Amino acid sequence: KMIDKSFGLTNVDAVMLDIEDGVAPAEKETARLEIGAALDRVAQRGAVARTPARYVRINEVGHQRMYADLTAVVRPGLDGLVLPKVDSPEQVEEVEMVLDRTEPDKGIARRAIQLLVAIESPRGLFQAQAIAAASTRVMGLIFGAEDFGKEMGLPLRREGEARDLIYARSAFVCAAASKNVQAVEGVWPDLNDMEGLKTFALQSRRLGFTGMSSSHPSQIDAINAAFSPSAEEIEYCKKVVQAFDEARGRGEGSIAFGGQLIDLPIVERARRTLALAASLRS
């Protein structure tokens, strides 16, 4: 019931169906069967099916459970896998080898299944660039704040917009950007603290994250608002681009606009913001 409900969400880009930490060991086989059946229903509907992208978080790479997960869920209807607790590029390569063998047998286009890789430890953070470059299947990295905090011995309660994780989150974003893949923020765990969520999501966007995960539908609208350009931001970007283009027409390389020096890198950021706004409207 929850899986089918998630497939009906219209305000998210992707859903992550879990077989890892969110599922008790005794229930993992049931989870595999339920997820496999749900993916089959989507595949049977074909082009008629309009759902968010469908990802499955499998068990830790190399564990026997991982192979059972892949056998159960790699099938038409699957868009990608979330790989948990990745510390090295070799772990990504191990999953890639399985997918390379499995996709043709399942009638899936070669290299169609993408990978979203979770960085959840200091070791993984220091290997993040190599992990992001380990396979062309890697479309993004996702930050696992709770496991990372455990490894660092941080307090249980998160306070002050997770300022204790600023360095790790910033380094994570830089690693993802250096390999031109998505940088996905982890969850805001307190479902009752909507103001904390809004502040945290806005900070995450300002750090350079390109999206954020959530464990509950009540958080979706606040996250979307934080990661979407505001009307004021869009209007300002339009004025910057127009003023710069007019200056270029006069043979000028940079201009003063609204008390700020505007040159090409700033204009390119404005164009990127406008492109994002247009993609969100489409």
Side-chain angles (χ1 to χ4, degrees):
K1 180 180 176 181
M2 293 176 69
I3 292 172
D4 289 340
K5 183 178 179 180
S6 73
F7 285 173
L9 294 173
T10 59
N11 56 350
V12 297
D13 297 304
V15 294
M16 182 186 77
L17 308 176
D18 192 25
I19 319 179
E20 198 223 5
D21 284 350
V23 179
E27 297 296 326
K28 290 189 184 290
E29 183 57 26
T30 299
R32 295 183 189 110
L33 294 173
E34 292 286 353
I35 291 171
L39 294 173
D40 284 346
R41 289 194 293 273
V42 171
Q44 288 163 7
R45 288 158 55 197
V48 178
R50 295 182 61 85
T51 79
R54 300 165 297 277
Y55 280 67
V56 175
R57 181 168 70 168
I58 61 175
N59 283 276
E60 191 168 351
V61 177
H63 194 286
Q64 188 57 40
R65 286 174 178 153
M66 178 203 79
Y67 296 102
D69 295 343
L70 294 176
T71 299
V73 305
V74 176
R75 59 181 69 205
L78 179 71
D79 291 309
L81 298 170
V82 179
L83 309 186
K85 300 177 177 62
V86 173
D87 289 334
S88 71
E90 288 77 18
Q91 290 172 283
V92 176
E93 293 165 0
E94 182 175 349
V95 174
E96 180 172 51
M97 286 190 293
V98 176
L99 292 176
D100 285 346
R101 294 195 305 267
T102 306
E103 283 173 331
D105 295 338
K106 298 285 187 174
I108 301 171
R110 182 170 172 77
R111 307 190 73 78
I113 295 175
Q114 297 185 312
L115 300 176
L116 178 60
V117 183
I119 303 297
E120 306 185 60
S121 71
R123 181 183 176 190
L125 181 64
F126 286 121
Q127 290 286 313
Q129 282 184 290
I131 290 169
S135 168
T136 56
R137 293 180 186 268
V138 177
M139 52 73 62
L141 305 178
I142 182 169
F143 186 62
E146 303 311 318
D147 278 278
F148 194 94
K150 180 191 72 174
E151 294 284 334
M152 294 292 292
L154 299 181
L156 178 61
R157 292 184 65 112
R158 210 188 291 184
E159 299 178 4
E161 305 169 22
R163 283 196 295 267
D164 45 2
L165 292 171
I166 285 287
Y167 166 75
R169 290 158 65 211
S170 295
F172 172 93
V173 167
C174 289
S178 73
K179 300 303 177 183
N180 197 32
V181 300
Q182 299 290 315
V184 182
E185 178 66 281
V187 301
W188 178 256
D190 190 343
L191 298 179
N192 296 317
D193 184 6
M194 292 301 293
E195 289 306 312
L197 166 67
K198 292 175 184 178
T199 304
F200 177 72
L202 183 58
Q203 181 199 62
S204 298
R205 185 188 175 204
R206 288 171 174 167
L207 287 175
F209 283 93
T210 55
M212 181 173 167
S213 54
S214 170
S215 59
H216 196 275
S218 65
Q219 297 182 331
I220 294 172
D221 288 342
I223 292 172
N224 283 340
F227 280 87
S228 300
S230 66
E232 293 79 11
E233 188 176 359
I234 293 170
E235 186 62 25
Y236 181 73
C237 288
K238 287 180 178 178
K239 291 178 179 178
V240 166
V241 171
Q242 180 181 354
F244 187 78
D245 286 345
E246 290 173 355
R248 274 292 176 90
R250 298 191 298 268
E252 301 174 14
S254 61
I255 61 170
F257 178 80
Q260 179 183 1
L261 178 65
I262 303 294
D263 58 6
L264 187 59
I266 293 175
V267 176
E268 290 303 318
R269 285 166 60 190
R271 294 189 197 279
R272 187 183 306 170
T273 298
L274 294 174
L276 173 61
S279 70
L280 293 173
R281 289 195 300 269
S282 63

